[in-house]
Amino acid sequence: MKFKNYSKKLLFYLVSSILILWFVFSLENPLFKDPNSTIITDSQGRLLSARIADDGQWRFPEIDLVPTKFAKAITYFEDEYFYLHPGINPISILRALKQNIQSGKIVSGGSTLTMQTIRLSRKGKSRSIIEKLKEAILSLRLEISNNKSGILKLYASHAPFGGNVVGLEAASWRYFGRRPSQLSWGEICTLAVLPNAPALIYPGKNHEKLKAKRDRLLNKLYEKGEIDNETCELAKAEPLPGSPHRIPSISPHLLDRIIKDGKKGKKTTTTINLSLQEKVNKIVNNYHSVLSQNEIHNIAAIVLDVEKSTVLAYTGNSNCPEVNSGRNVDIITSPRSTGSILKPFLYTFMLQDGEILPNTLIPDIPTQYTGYAPKNFDKTYDGAVLASEALARSLNIPAVRMLRNYGIENFYHQLKKLDFKTIDKPANHYGLSIILGGAEATLWDLSNAYMNMAQTLNNDDFVSKASYIKNNLSNTNHVLGKPKVLDIGALWWTFEALSSLNRPWQETGWQEFESSKKIAWKTGTSFGHRDGWAIGMTPKHVVGIWVGNADGEGRPGLTGLSVAAPILFKIFKNLEYIEWFEKPKWDLVPTKVCKKSGYLASDICEESEEILAPKNSVKTSLCPFHKIINLDKDKQFRVSSNCYSVNEMNSVSWFVLPPVQEWYFKKKNPFYKPLPSFKMGCQQELLTNMAVIYPKNHTQIFIPREIDGKMGKAVFEVVHRNEEKTIFWHLNNVFIGSTFKTHRMEIAPVYGKHTMTLVDEDGETISWVFNIL
């Protein structure tokens, strides 16, 4: 007997334990496992873009906070005693039972909001008594594990609102185009009555029933003292929603990027500023409507906050109506040919390493290196040009010659420190063309690197703390730290060059911004007019622009200056401006430089000036262009001690460029004074007057055949300091002709090694070897 009693007790405890365990663990976690829409908001929580859930429902991630208005409206409509009961309300159940018996059918379920939440999570279950009992038990369980606010969040996030709209936030945007917190009492009450009968929302149908339900709820709120009479009457006068609104798609490419970053089905708060994003979108689309007439279909723009290392606007592409225009491509993250956009980094690196001074003269003459022959955009030559001017005017030949002097490997490794992810091949793969678009970079990486420049110039220590754009553009993510790559003193001179107003005068489009605030900016154009770049910087912002076609098709007139720069300045007009960068005198040293050459001043430089130069300026060379020459007493002719009295000689310093540089330089610089001629009867000094432009010594030349099958010709070109001199040409010691003033000669030598010898009328001789392949 005792054993039987013990067995019964044991069985009782066992069953009870099982029931308790079942009760405790009966509730699934999470309660809802439906796929969510992917949502991105701006820094203030305002909706930017959304992507429908995988099951075709507009179901936003769980709402952060249920608006007070909705909480009051839904509880008064569905469950007036919500805050008092433990999940089930016996009074409501008895009342519902009575109403159902009197009606002879089910007209009321007596479910609380908690029970309705449970029923929503148990999709497709019948409304039988057994299922009701299960819902009641699970409701008690839900009340134990959640507070009332949490239960309201679950309900508001998963209640049906008609069609494929699930949840309060999605309903608010679909039916009213606003956030739930911005809805009026009339709008809130319209949504509050929908989960009870979601079919009432169909446009053009059931409006009278829907309005009657809404108005009854408004009257109840008035009776309960939640709203006054005026508010109630005004709310009842509000129209019901018509056709559903489109969910905002202000930053669709940013949304795609967020999804790729693993945040599908989540709500991400970005650093974007909604009002600025809308302005940038409008500017981009306005320019697109003009550029599309030239079959230029794609534009990307990004705006960065320099001080906070955040993205304020992200327009990955223009809103082109043509389906095959590449409008879905996020250009901001797409590798494109860089054109000239890397030139400021070369200038900065050379300054900080003591390779040049800010205004060092750089040759701008016909140039060829092992088959690579860069050309300036306008196909002209300046002979020699200041390094700062070459950067401001984006001259190609000086940039290539600077890179050759600096070293491709050196430049490549410096760029890698700036986190250019798509410059990932060995340095020798790119060669000298890397400075003119031979490499590819993304607008994201380029803007990031330019921001590094601005941050360094803002504060020398800032870059080590926060130099790169926040991961995934989220407010909550950590800022990457990067070691300082750029020298602040060198950057000061780079920004001075990039902010000068004497920009490329052969183009138009930027002059309208001449009177605007100071901006350091650079443009770039890739080979074949496929990519147009413009990036600008102030102490507060960096703006990056790309214009072109996503499929790589080039278009006539597509240059960074003509199509990208106008967009850049238009955006800057909408940005806050702060005082320009402080001159970093602590990072610059007084340096005496030659005014004409930009090199360190030598003792024989005619004019010199003191500038504040980067610290490594002492490593640069002395001016190589000033030479001491001897003139007669009238200073008209050059003389020597062999023909003229030393006592009557005038020894003067003269600025002398090499022959080829001089040939082009004096055409554009009227101040340049060529060397005086020698006085009759005086022996000429050992100073070279002739120089070869093409081909250089030991050049290998391939001469193709013409259309008619005959061998083509190669054009040889040299220059002479004195335009009035005749040059006599000899190929393999055989005279082939003479030239006067313009010294070009077409020849068609046979295959093999040849020697060209030139002699001017004064007997000066130059000779070099070349090979015909």
Side-chain angles (χ1 to χ4, degrees):
M1 188 70 178
K2 288 182 179 181
F3 178 76
K4 287 184 179 181
N5 290 335
Y6 177 78
S7 298
K8 289 179 179 179
K9 287 182 180 181
L10 183 61
L11 182 61
F12 172 78
Y13 289 130
L14 182 61
V15 172
S16 300
S17 299
I18 292 172
L19 289 173
I20 292 171
L21 288 172
W22 175 81
F23 180 77
V24 170
F25 295 104
S26 59
L27 206 60
E28 292 190 30
N29 187 22
L31 188 61
F32 293 90
K33 297 181 179 179
D34 305 300
N36 290 324
S37 303
T38 307
I39 311 297
I40 57 172
T41 67
D42 81 338
S43 58
Q44 303 300 313
R46 295 171 293 190
L47 185 62
L48 290 172
S49 294
R51 182 71 46 79
I52 199 167
D54 288 344
D55 61 356
Q57 303 293 304
W58 281 112
R59 183 188 298 104
F60 283 25
E62 187 174 310
I63 195 168
D64 297 324
L65 180 67
V66 178
T68 303
K69 286 182 182 178
F70 184 78
K72 290 180 178 180
I74 195 66
T75 51
Y76 276 115
F77 184 75
E78 291 284 1
D79 188 358
E80 191 171 346
Y81 301 101
F82 174 70
Y83 293 101
L84 300 177
H85 62 66
I88 58 175
N89 187 347
I91 297 175
S92 297
I93 293 174
L94 291 174
R95 184 180 65 248
L97 182 61
K98 179 180 178 182
Q99 292 174 349
N100 294 337
I101 292 173
Q102 290 175 345
S103 301
K105 60 181 180 179
I106 298 177
V107 296
S108 177
S111 295
T112 63
L113 279 174
T114 311
M115 294 173 69
Q116 291 182 46
T117 303
I118 292 296
R119 184 167 66 247
L120 289 172
S121 71
R122 303 175 74 241
K123 294 175 175 57
K125 300 296 182 180
S126 65
R127 301 186 67 179
S128 64
I129 295 176
I130 293 177
E131 292 301 328
K132 281 284 186 180
L133 182 59
K134 289 180 181 178
E135 287 175 9
I137 295 172
L138 291 174
S139 297
L140 293 172
R141 174 66 185 86
L142 183 60
E143 289 277 350
I144 292 174
S145 59
N146 287 270
N147 56 28
K148 294 292 185 179
S149 175
I151 295 170
L152 266 185
K153 284 183 185 180
L154 287 171
Y155 178 82
S157 300
H158 296 278
F161 284 85
N164 66 340
V165 180
V166 177
L168 173 63
E169 197 165 6
S172 179
W173 282 104
R174 285 290 280 165
Y175 300 134
F176 299 107
R178 298 193 300 282
R179 286 185 286 177
S181 60
Q182 297 175 318
L183 299 183
S184 66
W185 275 109
E187 293 165 337
I188 280 289
C189 288
T190 300
L191 295 183
V193 302
L194 274 179
N196 183 265
L200 295 180
I201 194 61
Y202 287 112
K205 297 180 180 180
N206 305 315
H207 270 204
E208 291 184 3
K209 293 181 179 179
L210 179 59
K211 186 177 187 308
K213 280 196 168 201
R214 180 198 68 177
D215 291 352
R216 282 198 299 272
L217 176 56
L218 285 167
N219 288 332
K220 188 172 185 179
L221 290 170
Y222 167 64
E223 293 168 3
K224 296 294 184 178
E226 298 294 346
I227 57 176
D228 57 31
N229 183 59
E230 182 180 5
T231 301
C232 181
E233 294 304 316
L234 288 173
K236 288 191 286 186
E238 290 180 21
L240 294 173
S243 299
H245 293 258
R246 293 179 63 89
I247 297 291
S249 183
I250 300 169
S251 299
H253 300 92
L254 176 56
L255 177 64
D256 290 337
R257 183 168 180 179
I258 292 294
I259 292 174
K260 288 179 182 178
D261 285 345
K263 296 192 175 182
K264 182 178 181 180
K266 299 178 181 178
K267 180 178 180 180
T268 302
T269 300
T270 70
T271 59
I272 300 297
N273 179 298
L274 175 61
S275 59
L276 176 61
Q277 180 69 61
E278 290 177 326
K279 290 176 183 176
V280 171
N281 285 356
K282 184 177 180 180
I283 291 169
V284 164
N285 290 322
N286 285 344
Y287 274 95
H288 170 262
S289 65
V290 176
L291 295 174
S292 61
Q293 298 175 31
N294 187 28
E295 298 298 323
I296 300 173
H297 298 296
N298 307 110
I299 304 173
I302 188 170
V303 181
L304 309 180
D305 187 315
V306 173
E307 296 173 343
K308 298 178 181 177
S309 295
T310 56
V311 182
L312 299 178
Y314 188 109
T315 302
N317 210 324
S318 47
N319 187 22
C320 182
E322 296 188 24
V323 177
N324 297 322
S325 63
R327 64 189 180 186
N328 295 324
V329 177
D330 183 358
I331 298 294
I332 290 177
T333 59
S334 300
R336 308 292 304 196
S337 172
T338 55
S340 298
I341 209 73
L342 296 178
K343 289 177 182 175
F345 298 103
L346 175 62
Y347 181 76
T348 304
F349 295 152
M350 294 188 75
L351 282 175
Q352 69 187 29
D353 290 350
E355 297 286 338
I356 59 170
L357 285 164
N359 294 316
T360 294
L361 272 182
I362 307 295
D364 182 23
I365 57 177
T367 299
Q368 187 176 56
Y369 297 121
T370 60
Y372 179 57
K375 297 288 189 293
N376 290 328
F377 184 81
D378 59 1
K379 305 295 190 297
T380 64
Y381 309 97
D382 279 26
V385 64
L386 304 180
S388 59
E389 184 183 338
L391 175 60
R393 292 171 55 195
S394 197
L395 297 176
N396 293 335
I397 292 173
V400 170
R401 297 182 77 98
M402 287 168 67
L403 177 58
R404 188 169 186 266
N405 291 337
Y406 187 63
I408 298 170
E409 285 280 351
N410 199 10
F411 182 60
Y412 173 83
H413 289 300
Q414 291 282 49
L415 286 179
K416 294 298 288 182
K417 294 177 184 177
L418 289 170
D419 212 25
F420 283 102
K421 299 180 183 64
T422 55
I423 301 180
D424 52 4
K425 296 178 176 62
N428 58 10
H429 170 84
Y430 301 106
L432 292 171
S433 69
I434 192 173
I435 200 64
L436 301 183
E440 290 187 333
T442 65
L443 183 57
W444 177 266
D445 285 348
L446 281 165
S447 300
N448 188 20
Y450 272 80
M451 183 176 70
N452 184 293
M453 298 172 81
Q455 288 178 333
T456 303
L457 198 51
N458 262 341
N459 184 338
D460 198 15
D461 296 325
F462 183 71
V463 176
S464 62
K465 298 175 184 176
S467 64
Y468 278 58
I469 304 171
K470 289 188 175 182
N471 281 339
N472 301 329
L473 309 99
S474 169
N475 270 330
T476 58
N477 289 328
H478 179 62
V479 181
L480 294 177
K482 289 284 180 180
K484 189 180 72 169
V485 179
L486 304 167
D487 180 79
I488 189 170
L491 279 173
W492 166 259
W493 283 101
T494 302
F495 274 61
E496 286 298 289
L498 294 177
S499 60
S500 62
L501 292 180
N502 59 327
R503 303 310 286 271
W505 44 83
Q506 71 270 25
E507 298 280 359
T508 59
W510 64 269
Q511 290 91 334
E512 62 178 293
F513 309 105
E514 188 172 1
S515 61
S516 63
K517 299 295 184 181
K518 192 172 183 179
I519 298 169
W521 56 286
K522 182 72 185 76
T523 61
T525 306
S526 68
F527 179 77
H529 299 272
R530 294 181 175 89
D531 307 272
W533 300 90
I535 300 181
M537 300 167 287
T538 68
K540 180 71 175 173
H541 298 105
V542 169
V543 176
I545 307 295
W546 177 91
V547 180
N549 287 309
D551 61 3
E553 179 188 356
R555 297 300 303 165
L558 195 164
T559 68
L561 199 61
S562 61
V563 299
I567 302 173
L568 175 90
F569 286 103
K570 197 75 171 181
I571 291 174
F572 265 116
K573 282 189 173 182
N574 289 275
L575 299 177
E576 175 190 0
Y577 187 83
I578 62 176
E579 188 177 349
W580 192 246
F581 301 97
E582 178 187 358
K583 189 171 186 177
K585 296 180 180 179
W586 63 91
D587 207 54
L588 300 168
V589 294
T591 305
K592 188 178 180 181
V593 299
C594 175
K595 288 188 71 171
K596 286 188 176 180
S597 71
Y599 281 78
L600 289 178
S602 69
D603 293 338
I604 62 173
C605 283
E606 302 169 273
E607 297 179 83
S608 62
E609 61 181 343
E610 187 173 272
I611 65 170
L612 289 175
K615 290 179 290 188
N616 283 329
S617 59
V618 293
K619 297 180 181 179
T620 58
S621 305
L622 292 175
C623 175
F625 302 121
H626 278 92
K627 303 180 184 300
I628 297 297
I629 64 170
N630 295 318
L631 301 177
D632 63 10
K633 63 180 180 180
D634 297 324
K635 297 184 178 180
Q636 291 184 350
F637 298 99
R638 279 187 285 166
V639 295
S640 67
S641 58
N642 296 326
C643 66
Y644 202 80
S645 172
V646 175
N647 294 330
E648 293 183 340
M649 283 183 187
N650 286 292
S651 296
V652 298
S653 176
W654 206 274
F655 182 68
V656 184
L657 289 172
V660 178
Q661 293 183 41
E662 180 184 274
W663 174 260
Y664 294 101
F665 187 81
K666 63 186 180 183
K667 294 179 179 179
K668 294 190 176 183
N669 296 273
F671 77 85
Y672 183 79
K673 296 189 298 181
L675 282 167
S677 300
F678 273 92
K679 193 175 182 67
M680 185 71 68
C682 284
Q683 182 181 355
Q684 184 170 337
E685 297 172 355
L686 295 176
L687 184 66
T688 303
N689 290 303
M690 290 188 291
V692 177
I693 294 178
Y694 181 83
K696 300 293 186 182
N697 196 25
H698 296 297
T699 296
Q700 294 185 329
I701 304 172
F702 172 75
I703 302 178
R705 293 187 177 275
E706 304 291 351
I707 297 176
D708 59 5
K710 295 181 179 179
M711 179 65 72
K713 294 183 178 181
V715 178
F716 284 52
E717 184 174 7
V718 298
V719 294
H720 198 292
R721 290 187 189 277
N722 191 337
E723 293 183 356
E724 302 301 320
K725 296 293 183 180
T726 299
I727 295 179
F728 303 92
W729 297 66
H730 302 79
L731 179 63
N732 300 324
N733 294 320
V734 177
F735 176 72
I736 59 173
S738 63
T739 54
F740 179 69
K741 287 194 174 181
T742 301
H743 303 290
R744 294 192 187 94
M745 181 72 69
E746 285 189 346
I747 65 172
V750 297
Y751 298 109
K753 185 177 180 180
H754 300 273
T755 300
M756 180 69 75
T757 304
L758 306 183
V759 183
D760 73 2
E761 58 189 78
D762 293 324
E764 183 178 342
T765 302
I766 59 172
S767 182
W768 73 98
V769 175
F770 62 93
N771 285 278
I772 300 296
L773 302 178

